[in-house]
Amino acid sequence: MMDTGTMTAWQVVAPGPVSSHPLQRVTVSTPQPGPDELLVKVLACGVCRTDLHVAEGDLAVHRPRVIPGHEVVGEVVAVGAEAGGGFAVGDRVGVAWLRHTCGQCVYCLRGRENLCPSSLYTGWDADGGYADFTTVPAAFALRLPTGYSDVELAPLLCAGIIGYRALLRTDLPSAGRLGLYGFGGSAHLTAQVALAQGARVHVMTRGERARELALALGASSVQGSADMPPEPLDAAILFAPVGDLVLPALAALDRGGVLAIAGIHLSDIPALNYQRHLFQEREIRSVTANTRADARDFLAFAGAHRMAVSTPEYALDRADEALADLSAGRIAGAAVLRG
Ligand SMILES: [Zn+2]
Ligand SMILES: [Zn+2]
């Protein structure tokens, strides 16, 4: 039977710089699933840069003392009376960032539910996976591909899905030239999707270990974070939350090229020069969360193409250390908390 007692969790008690320890380890009541929800025992939870933005206060507080974490791989331990989707106790499911849309607004009806003004997010509006247990509306729980460990699956649920959407947003032509600016959890997965689709990938990042990982995965070149790639790019994705990098990324685009910005938060973009950065129909596009269709498509891709997932592991009681390491750029790949 499900444990109805207490559990260990991390809450964002006082948002601020990670050096001020915004996260606190607490004992709280195990959540109860609503009628349309699943109760999930957390087996692994990825550590995403968005968690850092929630902890540091870059994103406004939506739920005081929220439990972060939106890359949850878990086991269903209870099913609400009205929960659809055919989930049963014992199923392995994924809990991702998007957890509610209205289904009725113009964006939802157009298949762009990622833009729904009523959308709610795991680990920001509702408690997430830096805990022993979490809940998820059954309609937003994800079936997971086989062939991966729990720890390997976790980063696929945001780093993978958002990178996949960012890649779609670039409209990268077949056998195109793709530039990746920043090479962390999301980029190292996106690079593998692009390479599998026949793209040539150039990586711009300052981290030595990230550069080694990029070359090991098949990148054609690596260089400094603002350096010019060795050839013009058909498309680029900015993963680093650094507005300054928009300029070199746009300057590296070939005619008609597209730059997609993958992050939820970006420092200010300096003034652009029309000739140098935009003319010849170069474009800049943002990426806002993802639709459930993106999630299903990416997870199907991951099921068909075994991806190499680099996952430095931390025990759940070291979540604050994992965030500090992410903040300091000490992580190659995507850190994962083990339940
Ligand atoms: Zn809507
Ligand atoms: Zn995320």
Side-chain angles (χ1 to χ4, degrees):
M1 285 302 290
M2 55 179 271
D3 179 2
T4 54
T6 58
M7 67 171 188
T8 300
W10 289 86
Q11 291 179 331
V12 179
V13 173
V18 79
S19 57
S20 71
H21 300 288
L23 284 191
Q24 211 174 83
R25 198 160 159 235
V26 295
T27 301
V28 294
S29 299
T30 303
Q32 298 300 306
D36 62 342
E37 290 184 333
L38 310 174
L39 178 64
V40 174
K41 178 180 176 8
V42 178
L43 302 172
C45 182
V47 177
C48 174
R49 185 165 291 280
T50 300
D51 304 338
L52 194 58
H53 293 316
V54 169
E56 298 204 308
D58 297 323
L59 296 180
V61 173
H62 278 193
R63 175 180 168 83
R65 300 187 73 101
V66 72
I67 299 171
H70 56 271
E71 297 180 301
V72 181
V73 174
E75 181 187 333
V76 175
V77 292
V79 180
E82 293 157 31
F87 292 102
V89 168
D91 286 354
R92 189 164 69 154
V93 294
V95 182
W97 176 238
L98 185 70
R99 69 184 289 117
H100 171 81
T101 55
C102 77
Q104 294 165 354
C105 71
V106 68
Y107 311 102
C108 283
L109 295 175
R110 284 176 188 160
R112 301 185 75 180
E113 67 177 356
N114 59 309
L115 301 180
C116 177
S118 308
S119 56
L120 297 175
Y121 302 99
T122 306
W124 190 21
D125 298 292
D127 287 334
Y130 286 27
D132 295 329
F133 294 89
T134 193
T135 60
V136 62
F140 286 79
L142 296 168
R143 303 273 180 193
L144 297 169
T146 55
Y148 295 86
S149 70
D150 299 330
V151 165
E152 288 173 320
L153 283 171
L156 302 186
L157 292 167
C158 179
I161 293 169
I162 298 292
Y164 183 77
R165 183 169 183 91
L167 183 59
L168 292 178
R169 292 279 291 154
T170 68
D171 287 332
L172 181 68
S174 141
R177 302 155 296 177
L178 174 69
L180 302 179
Y181 290 80
F183 201 77
S186 193
H188 95 286
L189 297 172
T190 310
Q192 294 176 65
V193 178
L195 288 163
Q197 293 173 346
R200 233 174 16 247
V201 174
H202 300 286
V203 170
M204 278 57 73
T205 187
R206 63 176 182 204
E208 203 46 55
R209 284 160 68 200
R211 289 188 201 180
E212 284 166 20
L213 178 59
L215 290 173
L217 291 173
S220 297
S221 77
V222 292
Q223 40 268 311
S225 46
D227 292 348
M228 283 298 263
E231 61 182 341
L233 304 171
D234 299 303
I237 304 173
L238 176 57
F239 288 99
V242 181
D244 288 346
L245 292 177
V246 169
L247 277 64
L250 286 172
L253 290 179
D254 201 352
R255 295 171 174 227
V258 174
L259 168 65
I261 298 175
I264 191 170
H265 173 82
L266 187 72
S267 58
D268 286 347
I269 301 172
L272 302 180
N273 176 278
Y274 187 62
Q275 297 298 329
R276 204 175 320 136
H277 300 122
L278 284 175
F279 195 57
Q280 307 292 4
E281 303 203 342
R282 285 168 292 172
E283 289 178 52
I284 190 170
R285 295 181 184 174
S286 66
V287 177
T288 299
N290 61 277
T291 65
R292 279 172 284 181
D294 295 329
R296 286 190 288 262
D297 290 351
F298 171 70
L299 292 172
F301 175 90
H305 300 78
R306 183 64 168 80
M307 304 181 74
V309 193
S310 173
T311 53
E313 274 182 51
Y314 297 75
L316 177 62
D317 62 9
R318 288 171 60 213
D320 53 349
E321 208 178 307
L323 273 191
D325 286 349
L326 178 63
S327 173
R330 285 190 291 260
I331 291 175
V336 175
L337 305 177
R338 204 175 176 67

